[in-house]
Amino acid sequence: MRLLIVEDEKRLAMSLARGLTAEGFAVDVVHDGLEGLHRAGEGVHDLVVLDIMLPGMNGYRICAALRAAGHELPILMLTAKDGEYDEAEGLDTGADDYLTKPFSYVVLVARIRALLRRRGGSASPVLNAGALRMDTAARRVHLDGDEVGLTAKEFAVLEQLVLRAGEVVSKADILEHVWDFAYDGDPNIVEVYISTLRRKLGATSIRTVRGAGYRLEAR
């Protein structure tokens, strides 16, 4: 999943980006409200972590503008403004959740995952595809009841396939959601991770659809 952090406290923003990247997310960071609105409106992110007090445009206006334009991506407001009227205004302008500083990083990650599950139409953190079971909260994968050890990036690539089990997922889609905007390496990195997943899950677990992408084969 690809996240956008709009936060002008650069030290905090980069700390969050490092932590969320380690959790397996692709993370983009901007420090200005106007740029944040532009990037959030591109339609490539799965969730926005949005500060309220920003240069250029505040978080309330960004949130309202995104909703007015029809963008439905989850928005988690992260701010030092902790009054009940501030929280109410954030939710009224279209935010899905609200977390005040200082905050628990563990709670932040849990709320991000909950919002992403809600967006995917699933109240459960567990995804199933045949004999494959992914617990997105515990970050664990089981195949036929046996646990399969995956790195954070392997987990993220597999999650994209499981979320669309039976469908063809393009290499571009995987790159867009698993690697961040700054990635300018070889796009064939996706093939490397697909190959690794096949070794761990079985050679026939992921089928290459020539010219289109990859499809998870449930068994």
Side-chain angles (χ1 to χ4, degrees):
M1 295 292 178
R2 186 168 174 180
L3 311 181
L4 174 65
I5 297 175
V6 187
E7 168 61 68
D8 65 333
E9 293 183 39
K10 295 184 178 180
R11 185 174 179 180
L12 172 60
M14 299 315 296
S15 176
L16 288 176
R18 285 193 297 271
L20 291 168
T21 298
E23 295 285 342
F25 295 105
V27 183
D28 297 319
V29 178
V30 297
H31 306 295
D32 174 85
L34 289 172
E35 185 181 0
L37 176 61
H38 171 71
R39 293 293 300 279
E42 292 176 336
V44 301
H45 295 94
D46 298 289
L47 180 143
V48 178
V49 177
L50 178 64
D51 190 20
I52 289 180
M53 304 304 292
L54 292 163
M57 177 182 282
N58 69 42
Y60 295 137
R61 292 176 59 199
I62 292 171
C63 189
L66 288 171
R67 296 308 188 219
H71 296 291
E72 298 181 353
L73 78 169
I75 296 174
L76 171 62
M77 281 193 167
L78 185 66
T79 176
K81 296 172 72 67
D82 60 356
E84 61 181 21
Y85 291 105
D86 297 315
E87 181 174 356
E89 184 174 357
L91 297 174
D92 284 344
T93 55
D96 298 278
D97 203 352
Y98 191 105
L99 196 59
T100 58
K101 304 172 186 175
F103 59 89
S104 162
Y105 176 74
V106 173
V107 171
L108 172 69
V109 173
R111 291 193 179 190
I112 286 173
R113 296 200 189 284
L115 289 173
L116 291 172
R117 289 197 301 274
R118 195 178 308 164
R119 186 191 190 197
S122 173
S124 170
V126 178
L127 304 173
N128 293 286
L132 186 69
R133 182 178 185 273
M134 292 190 77
D135 187 330
T136 60
R139 314 301 287 172
R140 300 176 73 178
V141 174
H142 289 82
L143 180 63
D144 290 322
D146 296 323
E147 186 164 2
V148 180
L150 299 181
T151 66
K153 271 289 188 282
E154 289 167 357
F155 190 99
V157 171
L158 180 61
E159 185 176 17
Q160 290 301 308
L161 296 172
V162 174
L163 284 169
R164 295 169 59 183
E167 301 177 20
V168 177
V169 184
S170 70
K171 183 188 298 184
D173 281 344
I174 296 173
L175 275 172
E176 187 174 274
H177 290 280
V178 178
W179 279 267
D180 61 29
F181 181 77
Y183 180 75
D184 60 358
D186 188 345
N188 290 325
I189 187 68
V190 174
E191 296 176 11
V192 174
Y193 280 89
I194 293 293
S195 177
T196 301
L197 288 170
R198 283 176 176 145
R199 287 199 300 271
K200 294 185 176 184
L201 301 175
T204 61
S205 59
I206 303 171
R207 176 171 296 181
T208 298
V209 180
R210 191 174 298 278
Y214 305 97
R215 183 174 62 230
L216 182 70
E217 299 288 340
R219 62 179 181 84

